Amino acid sequence: MKLHITVVAGDGIGPEVTAEALRILRTVAEHGGHAFTYQDALIGGAAIDAAGTPLPQETLDAALGSDAVFLGAVGSNKFNALPPGERPEAGLLAIRAALGGFANLRPAFAHPALAQNSPLRPEVIAGADILFVRELLGGLYFGRPREWNRETHEAWNTMRYTRGEIERVARVAFELAGKRRGKLTSVDKANVLEVSQLWRATVNELAKEYPAVAVEHEFVDACAMHLMNTPRRFDVILTENLFGDILSDEAGVIAGSLGVLPSATIGGKVNLYEPVHGSAPDIAGHGIANPIGAILTAAMLLRHSAGLEAEAQAVETAVRSALDSGARTKDLARGDDAQVLSTSEMGDRIHQALTAELQKQPQTV
Ligand code: IPM
Ligand code: MN
C-alpha cells in the first residue's frame, strides 16, 4: 500500500521522539513492501523562528495533500509572553481545525511491566484499559467570543457546542465502545453548564441507536477521582475538548508515564497522529525523552490510516516486550533499574523486538 505522510516534528522533544517513530514505520513498510513517503514541514515555535508564523501555508498545503500527518510536539518557553493566537500552540490548533478530525482517540492502559511506576497501587491499576474519545474541534479551545481586555482587566472564553458537533464525536465513541467492552462513560459538568446539558441530552438520544452499549454519565470532577480510585470501571470515556485534555494527562498516572500515551485524530479530511505528551522543554535536546508515546502513535497510524492492523499490533507487542525485558527511559526508571536508556537506545530495543515480531508474520515481498 501507498501512504504519503507529512511529518511535523515541531518543538522540544518532538523531533527526538518522531525520529524513533519514523524508524519504526520505515521498518514496517520495508517488511511489507509498502511505499510510505515522508515530507517534513514546520510547525509551532520552530515555524515561528523560520517563517514568522506557527503554521506556514506550506505546511498546511503539505498536510492537506497527504494521507496522514504525524506530529511530534508543539510548545516552547521562548514564546510564553505571546498572546494565545500567536503562540506555537496556535499552529497546533490551526492544523487540527484545517485537517478537520474531531475525534481524538487517546488509549491509556496499565502496562503490567510498569505497575511499579505508578503512584497508584498495582492492584488498583491492574487491567485498567481505557479509551478516551476527546472532542477536538470545539469547546473553549475554539469558541468565540474570546478576549483579554487589558483596559477593563476582564477576559473571557466561550464554551460552545452544537448538537451536530456532539453527535458526530459521540457516534465515534459509541461505535468504538461496541467493538470493545460495550461501556460508554460520557463526562460532563451538567450540574452547572448548559453546554453539558445539551451534551448529555444528545448522548442519551444517540444511545437509543446503540442498545448494546451501556451508557453512564459522570461529572468531570467525579470522573477525575474515579480514574484514580477505580480505573478499571472505565471502557470508553467520551468528553469535550478541555475535559479530555485534562483527564488524558491524568491517565498518564495509570499508564506509568505520560510519555507512553499515543493519540490519533480521526473523522476529518486527513487523520492526525500525535503523542499525548507535550514538547517537554526541560528535557529537550538531551536525548532522554521517552519515544514510546510516539512509537505507539505510529502504531495507531498503521491501524487507522494504513489499514495494517497486524503490523500495528506487532509494534504494540514490540513495545510491550521491550518494557517486559526491562528497557526504561529516564521517566520510567526507578532506583533499582540498572541501566537507563536514551531515546534512541529505547528505539533500538523496540526496533529489535519489532523485527522479531514481523518475522513471525508472512512476508509480502
Ligand atoms: C494536548 C496538548 C495540546 C492541547 C496543547 C499543546 C495545545 O496539551 O494535545 O493534549 O491542549 O490540546
Ligand atoms: Mn494536553
Side-chain angles (χ1 to χ4, degrees), residues 75-90:
S76 157
N77 290 334
K78 197 172 148 188
F79 305 104
N80 280 349
L82 292 178
E86 293 165 32
R87 290 168 62 103
E89 290 84 350

PDB file of all heavy atoms in Angstrom, residues 75-90:
ATOM      1  N   GLY A  75       5.258  23.660  21.318  1.00  0.00           N
ATOM      2  CA  GLY A  75       5.312  24.481  22.532  1.00  0.00           C
ATOM      3  C   GLY A  75       6.748  24.799  22.897  1.00  0.00           C
ATOM      4  O   GLY A  75       7.611  23.926  22.830  1.00  0.00           O
ATOM      5  N   SER A  76       6.992  26.059  23.232  1.00  0.00           N
ATOM      6  CA  SER A  76       8.348  26.459  23.583  1.00  0.00           C
ATOM      7  C   SER A  76       8.282  27.644  24.542  1.00  0.00           C
ATOM      8  O   SER A  76       7.532  28.595  24.318  1.00  0.00           O
ATOM      9  CB  SER A  76       9.103  26.840  22.307  1.00  0.00           C
ATOM     10  OG  SER A  76      10.171  27.702  22.616  1.00  0.00           O
ATOM     11  N   ASN A  77       9.069  27.569  25.602  1.00  0.00           N
ATOM     12  CA  ASN A  77       9.050  28.637  26.609  1.00  0.00           C
ATOM     13  C   ASN A  77       9.423  30.001  26.047  1.00  0.00           C
ATOM     14  O   ASN A  77       9.038  31.035  26.599  1.00  0.00           O
ATOM     15  CB  ASN A  77      10.019  28.298  27.755  1.00  0.00           C
ATOM     16  CG  ASN A  77       9.498  27.138  28.586  1.00  0.00           C
ATOM     17  OD1 ASN A  77       8.291  26.906  28.634  1.00  0.00           O
ATOM     18  ND2 ASN A  77      10.399  26.395  29.219  1.00  0.00           N
ATOM     19  N   LYS A  78      10.173  29.948  24.938  1.00  0.00           N
ATOM     20  CA  LYS A  78      10.621  31.187  24.298  1.00  0.00           C
ATOM     21  C   LYS A  78       9.455  32.116  23.960  1.00  0.00           C
ATOM     22  O   LYS A  78       9.615  33.327  23.873  1.00  0.00           O
ATOM     23  CB  LYS A  78      11.339  30.762  23.019  1.00  0.00           C
ATOM     24  CG  LYS A  78      12.218  31.795  22.400  1.00  0.00           C
ATOM     25  CD  LYS A  78      12.980  31.130  21.262  1.00  0.00           C
ATOM     26  CE  LYS A  78      13.234  32.136  20.159  1.00  0.00           C
ATOM     27  NZ  LYS A  78      13.797  31.467  18.967  1.00  0.00           N
ATOM     28  N   PHE A  79       8.290  31.548  23.735  1.00  0.00           N
ATOM     29  CA  PHE A  79       7.151  32.355  23.269  1.00  0.00           C
ATOM     30  C   PHE A  79       6.066  32.518  24.336  1.00  0.00           C
ATOM     31  O   PHE A  79       4.935  32.880  24.022  1.00  0.00           O
ATOM     32  CB  PHE A  79       6.565  31.734  21.999  1.00  0.00           C
ATOM     33  CG  PHE A  79       7.591  31.543  20.921  1.00  0.00           C
ATOM     34  CD1 PHE A  79       8.106  30.289  20.651  1.00  0.00           C
ATOM     35  CD2 PHE A  79       8.053  32.630  20.188  1.00  0.00           C
ATOM     36  CE1 PHE A  79       9.081  30.113  19.664  1.00  0.00           C
ATOM     37  CE2 PHE A  79       9.027  32.473  19.210  1.00  0.00           C
ATOM     38  CZ  PHE A  79       9.539  31.206  18.952  1.00  0.00           C
ATOM     39  N   ASN A  80       6.445  32.284  25.591  1.00  0.00           N
ATOM     40  CA  ASN A  80       5.451  32.340  26.675  1.00  0.00           C
ATOM     41  C   ASN A  80       4.751  33.683  26.805  1.00  0.00           C
ATOM     42  O   ASN A  80       3.614  33.759  27.266  1.00  0.00           O
ATOM     43  CB  ASN A  80       6.120  31.993  28.020  1.00  0.00           C
ATOM     44  CG  ASN A  80       6.269  30.494  28.186  1.00  0.00           C
ATOM     45  OD1 ASN A  80       5.703  29.735  27.406  1.00  0.00           O
ATOM     46  ND2 ASN A  80       7.030  30.061  29.171  1.00  0.00           N
ATOM     47  N   ALA A  81       5.434  34.764  26.401  1.00  0.00           N
ATOM     48  CA  ALA A  81       4.854  36.098  26.587  1.00  0.00           C
ATOM     49  C   ALA A  81       3.830  36.448  25.507  1.00  0.00           C
ATOM     50  O   ALA A  81       3.091  37.426  25.643  1.00  0.00           O
ATOM     51  CB  ALA A  81       5.968  37.140  26.607  1.00  0.00           C
ATOM     52  N   LEU A  82       3.772  35.649  24.446  1.00  0.00           N
ATOM     53  CA  LEU A  82       2.853  35.977  23.334  1.00  0.00           C
ATOM     54  C   LEU A  82       1.409  35.649  23.693  1.00  0.00           C
ATOM     55  O   LEU A  82       1.142  34.741  24.478  1.00  0.00           O
ATOM     56  CB  LEU A  82       3.248  35.181  22.078  1.00  0.00           C
ATOM     57  CG  LEU A  82       4.580  35.546  21.414  1.00  0.00           C
ATOM     58  CD1 LEU A  82       4.829  34.620  20.221  1.00  0.00           C
ATOM     59  CD2 LEU A  82       4.582  37.003  20.960  1.00  0.00           C
ATOM     60  N   PRO A  83       0.469  36.379  23.083  1.00  0.00           N
ATOM     61  CA  PRO A  83      -0.940  36.026  23.291  1.00  0.00           C
ATOM     62  C   PRO A  83      -1.239  34.665  22.649  1.00  0.00           C
ATOM     63  O   PRO A  83      -0.528  34.255  21.726  1.00  0.00           O
ATOM     64  CB  PRO A  83      -1.697  37.150  22.576  1.00  0.00           C
ATOM     65  CG  PRO A  83      -0.720  37.797  21.663  1.00  0.00           C
ATOM     66  CD  PRO A  83       0.644  37.554  22.228  1.00  0.00           C
ATOM     67  N   PRO A  84      -2.276  33.963  23.145  1.00  0.00           N
ATOM     68  CA  PRO A  84      -2.564  32.609  22.655  1.00  0.00           C
ATOM     69  C   PRO A  84      -2.577  32.496  21.128  1.00  0.00           C
ATOM     70  O   PRO A  84      -2.058  31.532  20.582  1.00  0.00           O
ATOM     71  CB  PRO A  84      -3.950  32.318  23.235  1.00  0.00           C
ATOM     72  CG  PRO A  84      -4.015  33.128  24.480  1.00  0.00           C
ATOM     73  CD  PRO A  84      -3.204  34.367  24.219  1.00  0.00           C
ATOM     74  N   GLY A  85      -3.116  33.501  20.457  1.00  0.00           N
ATOM     75  CA  GLY A  85      -3.245  33.419  18.999  1.00  0.00           C
ATOM     76  C   GLY A  85      -1.936  33.450  18.233  1.00  0.00           C
ATOM     77  O   GLY A  85      -1.891  33.128  17.049  1.00  0.00           O
ATOM     78  N   GLU A  86      -0.841  33.825  18.906  1.00  0.00           N
ATOM     79  CA  GLU A  86       0.453  33.903  18.213  1.00  0.00           C
ATOM     80  C   GLU A  86       1.454  32.874  18.723  1.00  0.00           C
ATOM     81  O   GLU A  86       2.572  32.775  18.235  1.00  0.00           O
ATOM     82  CB  GLU A  86       1.049  35.313  18.401  1.00  0.00           C
ATOM     83  CG  GLU A  86       0.247  36.394  17.701  1.00  0.00           C
ATOM     84  CD  GLU A  86       0.629  37.796  18.197  1.00  0.00           C
ATOM     85  OE1 GLU A  86       1.797  38.019  18.564  1.00  0.00           O
ATOM     86  OE2 GLU A  86      -0.275  38.657  18.233  1.00  0.00           O
ATOM     87  N   ARG A  87       1.067  32.137  19.705  1.00  0.00           N
ATOM     88  CA  ARG A  87       1.985  31.164  20.304  1.00  0.00           C
ATOM     89  C   ARG A  87       2.139  29.925  19.422  1.00  0.00           C
ATOM     90  O   ARG A  87       1.319  29.679  18.530  1.00  0.00           O
ATOM     91  CB  ARG A  87       1.435  30.713  21.667  1.00  0.00           C
ATOM     92  CG  ARG A  87       1.477  31.769  22.755  1.00  0.00           C
ATOM     93  CD  ARG A  87       0.663  31.298  23.927  1.00  0.00           C
ATOM     94  NE  ARG A  87       1.240  30.073  24.488  1.00  0.00           N
ATOM     95  CZ  ARG A  87       1.965  30.052  25.604  1.00  0.00           C
ATOM     96  NH1 ARG A  87       2.179  31.161  26.269  1.00  0.00           N
ATOM     97  NH2 ARG A  87       2.458  28.922  26.064  1.00  0.00           N
ATOM     98  N   PRO A  88       3.160  29.112  19.682  1.00  0.00           N
ATOM     99  CA  PRO A  88       3.322  27.863  18.934  1.00  0.00           C
ATOM    100  C   PRO A  88       2.045  27.020  18.934  1.00  0.00           C
ATOM    101  O   PRO A  88       1.678  26.429  17.902  1.00  0.00           O
ATOM    102  CB  PRO A  88       4.450  27.152  19.692  1.00  0.00           C
ATOM    103  CG  PRO A  88       5.243  28.246  20.333  1.00  0.00           C
ATOM    104  CD  PRO A  88       4.264  29.333  20.653  1.00  0.00           C
ATOM    105  N   GLU A  89       1.359  26.976  20.088  1.00  0.00           N
ATOM    106  CA  GLU A  89       0.148  26.150  20.212  1.00  0.00           C
ATOM    107  C   GLU A  89      -0.931  26.554  19.210  1.00  0.00           C
ATOM    108  O   GLU A  89      -1.768  25.730  18.817  1.00  0.00           O
ATOM    109  CB  GLU A  89      -0.418  26.246  21.632  1.00  0.00           C
ATOM    110  CG  GLU A  89       0.426  25.553  22.697  1.00  0.00           C
ATOM    111  CD  GLU A  89       1.574  26.420  23.231  1.00  0.00           C
ATOM    112  OE1 GLU A  89       1.846  27.494  22.638  1.00  0.00           O
ATOM    113  OE2 GLU A  89       2.191  26.018  24.234  1.00  0.00           O
ATOM    114  N   ALA A  90      -0.922  27.830  18.799  1.00  0.00           N
ATOM    115  CA  ALA A  90      -1.917  28.270  17.819  1.00  0.00           C
ATOM    116  C   ALA A  90      -1.744  27.499  16.507  1.00  0.00           C
ATOM    117  O   ALA A  90      -2.713  27.224  15.802  1.00  0.00           O
ATOM    118  CB  ALA A  90      -1.802  29.771  17.580  1.00  0.00           C
TER     119      ALA A  90
END
